[in-house]
Amino acid sequence: MGERFQEQPSNKSATLEMALRRAQKKRLQKKGNEINDHKRNKEYQVMTDIVLLQVAAENYTLEPEDPFQAWFQAMESLSEAESDIGISVGRFL
């Protein structure tokens, strides 16, 4: 008779088991939310840095130096077929 009692869980143990499952589910959801919040905060920080850099860059005017400008304009332009990235990368391998 004692064995039969042990095989059938009481309502109290079933309730406790369900409460443990709910608590575990909430903990996992909370952990997921913390990860998402961290990602959102990081994204906001990166976007803020980009905007600040863009504003700072507006204060500068870059003019190419004569030697660079001469070298750059002397470069041969690639044809349409050569400008494909797969072909360009293949030439350097």
Side-chain angles (χ1 to χ4, degrees):
M1 186 167 177
E3 291 177 25
R4 187 171 187 203
F5 178 75
Q6 290 176 353
E7 289 177 7
Q8 297 176 350
S10 68
N11 287 339
K12 190 173 185 177
S13 66
T15 302
L16 180 60
E17 185 177 335
M18 287 175 49
L20 288 172
R21 286 182 187 167
R22 280 194 304 269
Q24 183 179 19
K25 186 177 179 180
K26 285 182 181 179
R27 192 179 86 218
L28 290 174
Q29 287 175 344
K30 184 177 180 182
K31 186 175 182 178
N33 288 339
E34 289 172 3
I35 291 170
N36 290 337
D37 288 343
H38 177 71
K39 287 180 180 180
R40 272 192 293 268
N41 290 339
K42 181 68 175 174
E43 179 183 8
Y44 177 79
Q45 180 183 2
V46 168
M47 293 301 292
T48 303
D49 290 346
I50 289 172
V51 170
L52 290 173
L53 288 170
Q54 287 175 335
V55 169
E58 290 175 357
N59 296 325
Y60 294 94
T61 303
L62 299 176
E63 296 293 329
E65 295 180 4
D66 289 334
F68 172 79
Q69 192 168 6
W71 170 81
F72 187 74
Q73 290 188 1
M75 293 295 297
E76 181 182 334
S77 296
L78 296 176
S79 70
E80 187 69 31
E82 290 175 322
S83 66
D84 182 31
I85 192 154
I87 295 171
S88 297
V89 170
R91 287 191 303 161
F92 297 109
L93 297 178

